[in-house]
Amino acid sequence: YKTEDYGKSWKLITASMPKSVHSFAHVIKEDPKMEGVLYLGIDNGLYISVDDGEHWMQLRNNLPPAPVYWVTIQERFDDLVVATYGRGFYILDNISLIRQYAAEAREKDIHLFDLRPAYRFNQREGIKTDGISFNSGRNAPYGADINYLLRDSSEAPVSVEITDLEGNHVRTLRAKTSAGIHRLWWDLQYEAPERPKLRTKPAGKDWVAFNEEGWRNLRTWDIDIIDGQRGPRVAPGWYKVTLKVGDQTFEQQLEVLKDPNTDASVGDIKKQVAFALDCRDQLNRTVGLINSIELLRQELETQEPGKSAKAQEALEQLRTEATAIAAQLYDINLTGAREDAFRSPMKVYGRLAAVAADINGSGIDFPPTDQQEGVYEVLSERIEAAQEDYRKFVDMSIPAFNKKFGGSVGRSLIKP
């Protein structure tokens, strides 16, 4: 019940609630920033009203049907904290969209909600000794939560595009097309570097398998390169978030904040990000070269050598040249087994990914070191040398073979 005259009269505000033996209230709270938005904990769940109790809707979102004994709102981050009886604590991150829904969004067909600032936190690594446990808590996903409303399901594609304020592309995220309020998380990363597609098998290892599309991943188990295969994190600053529903667009601005626990300046972080983007772009260049030479190697493996011994010898020479180019770029003996990392040294791709991982690691907020930049320059020179060998191969060796022996090598030719 609600009173507006200090208890002289009362009004029932839960008439629209479903009636059951669990419908009695344990706690009711009003939103600290918007009158009329209520949070009601009953004996088997949580309900929300945006019109001061006239109507109620149940909030589930993975919340079990447990007695809700208390709710509170963490006002700095707008997180709703729910205490249950016997089922632990639950946190709904960022309930500001509930206020926006009450104030303006509930009458709209499509709405992109305001964005709260996101922190570019660095992860603190430690030793966890309790193992897998059902009583362990779980952090919210890393980055920025992006929330949007679709009144009806959309037949047109839905996506979220992130750019900087100068319009430079940062990331594109796929989004759901079904009706309702949806939340997706941007991990504050740029687009990840592309991945190589190997179309040949290591010599003497015919048991190595391809996928249904006829290629396999270049899998290196060395843990030092994993972060290098992810997109760099953005620098602190402002970014534009655009919701695209078919031909319609809706925009909001998002502020990314520096980790308050880091001593690095924003300028230092921008240098770090610029170097990480250079590494990513160089990785993409390397991947393009690997994919191109792999297509040619695949074609050469199936090429008919001709009847003459000279034609067979010339074709084998082409295969040897192509393999030598590939061997500069990646370990051609990789099978996908974990032990591969101990058998042969990494080549340009793996080493460059390791440099990218070094600058993209979770615990740093500093500009690149002289050593990192030096290694990057050495690897860039090696990539340029491999690129030059590839050019000579496709501009000289292949045409010469085709002209002399009437071959058709080069149908899969790609010039990265």
Side-chain angles (χ1 to χ4, degrees):
Y1 288 85
K2 173 187 174 182
T3 179
E4 294 181 339
D5 53 12
Y6 297 99
K8 291 182 179 179
S9 61
W10 293 85
K11 175 185 177 183
L12 180 67
I13 62 171
T14 55
S16 61
M17 285 282 295
K19 299 297 186 294
S20 78
V21 295
H22 299 289
S23 295
F24 58 90
H26 288 297
V27 58
I28 187 167
K29 286 284 189 73
E30 187 172 45
D31 190 281
K33 297 181 180 178
M34 188 172 191
E35 292 184 8
V37 175
L38 306 177
Y39 307 95
L40 172 63
I42 65 174
D43 204 46
N44 66 348
L46 179 69
Y47 282 78
I48 296 176
S49 173
V50 297
D51 54 11
D52 212 17
E54 292 295 327
H55 303 88
W56 294 87
M57 54 186 172
Q58 188 174 16
L59 181 65
R60 289 295 300 272
N61 287 10
N62 300 321
L63 181 69
V68 174
Y69 270 46
W70 201 252
V71 296
T72 191
I73 291 118
Q74 203 286 334
E75 296 188 28
R76 174 65 182 86
F77 292 97
D78 271 334
D79 292 344
L80 179 68
V81 183
V82 178
T84 70
Y85 180 81
R87 298 297 294 271
F89 290 92
Y90 292 82
I91 300 175
L92 177 61
D93 302 278
N94 189 12
I95 60 169
S96 65
L97 69 159
I98 296 176
R99 303 184 197 108
Q100 294 175 54
Y101 177 81
E104 55 179 313
R106 54 179 161 171
E107 303 301 328
K108 294 183 178 180
D109 292 330
I110 304 173
H111 183 73
L112 176 61
F113 292 92
D114 294 344
L115 302 169
R116 68 172 176 177
Y119 279 93
R120 189 184 186 272
F121 284 124
N122 289 317
Q123 297 180 7
R124 293 189 176 186
E125 298 180 359
I127 298 175
K128 184 176 176 61
T129 58
D130 62 350
I132 299 175
S133 172
F134 288 110
N135 61 12
S136 297
R138 184 179 64 186
N139 288 329
Y142 183 90
D145 57 299
I146 300 170
N147 306 283
Y148 64 96
L149 175 143
L150 298 178
R151 179 69 54 192
D152 301 302
S153 296
S154 173
E155 296 182 359
V158 180
S159 64
V160 172
E161 182 176 352
I162 296 134
T163 63
D164 60 26
L165 296 189
E166 286 73 44
N168 299 308
H169 177 73
V170 174
R171 189 79 174 271
T172 298
L173 304 172
R174 293 181 179 180
K176 293 182 178 180
T177 60
S178 56
I181 295 178
H182 299 290
R183 168 173 291 176
L184 54 84
W185 289 84
W186 172 41
D187 55 10
L188 306 185
Q189 292 178 2
Y190 284 88
E191 299 287 359
E194 298 174 5
R195 294 294 188 92
K197 297 179 178 180
L198 304 185
R199 300 176 184 274
T200 58
K201 299 180 180 182
K205 298 181 175 65
D206 292 336
W207 50 267
V208 173
F210 296 121
N211 62 20
E212 295 178 353
E213 297 178 3
W215 55 272
R216 62 190 178 95
N217 287 313
L218 195 167
R219 179 173 295 165
T220 301
W221 285 96
D222 194 320
I223 60 174
D224 292 336
I225 76 169
I226 294 175
D227 283 331
Q229 294 173 327
R230 301 187 178 108
R233 289 183 298 165
V234 299
W238 285 91
Y239 296 85
K240 184 170 72 173
V241 176
T242 303
L243 172 68
K244 295 184 176 181
V245 183
D247 296 331
Q248 302 181 76
T249 59
F250 306 85
E251 296 180 356
Q252 292 282 2
Q253 288 193 2
L254 167 69
E255 184 180 15
V256 176
L257 301 172
K258 185 174 80 75
D259 188 335
N261 297 312
T262 181
D263 294 330
S265 67
V266 173
D268 288 340
I269 297 174
K270 288 183 177 179
K271 291 178 182 178
Q272 177 198 87
V273 174
F275 181 73
L277 288 172
D278 287 342
C279 290
R280 184 200 65 175
D281 294 343
Q282 197 69 292
L283 275 170
N284 283 338
R285 183 185 178 192
T286 307
V287 169
L289 195 53
I290 291 173
N291 289 342
S292 298
I293 196 65
E294 281 293 301
L295 284 169
L296 280 174
R297 292 182 69 202
Q298 181 187 44
E299 184 182 343
L300 288 168
E301 285 185 353
T302 59
Q303 180 74 21
E304 292 295 333
K307 295 181 179 179
S308 71
K310 288 187 177 180
Q312 295 177 15
E313 183 180 347
L315 180 60
E316 192 58 38
Q317 178 60 32
L318 283 183
R319 291 170 177 166
T320 300
E321 287 185 43
T323 301
I325 295 171
Q328 296 179 60
L329 301 169
Y330 78 97
D331 176 11
I332 59 174
N333 299 304
L334 290 174
T335 65
R338 189 174 185 87
E339 294 80 7
D340 287 343
F342 307 104
R343 290 173 174 154
S344 302
M346 288 194 295
K347 301 298 182 178
V348 167
Y349 174 80
R351 294 177 185 274
L352 184 58
V355 175
D358 216 26
I359 200 68
N360 282 343
S362 62
I364 57 172
D365 253 356
F366 302 102
T369 64
D370 294 341
Q371 291 84 352
Q372 288 169 331
E373 291 179 333
V375 171
Y376 173 83
E377 291 300 325
V378 170
L379 296 175
S380 296
E381 291 172 1
R382 294 181 183 179
I383 294 168
E384 186 60 42
Q387 180 85 57
E388 184 60 27
D389 289 345
Y390 179 83
R391 289 195 193 99
K392 291 178 181 178
F393 183 66
V394 300
D395 292 341
M396 300 172 64
S397 300
I398 290 178
F401 174 86
N402 289 336
K403 182 177 181 181
K404 187 172 182 178
F405 299 102
S408 58
V409 177
R411 293 186 302 272
S412 60
L413 190 61
I414 300 174
K415 291 188 177 182

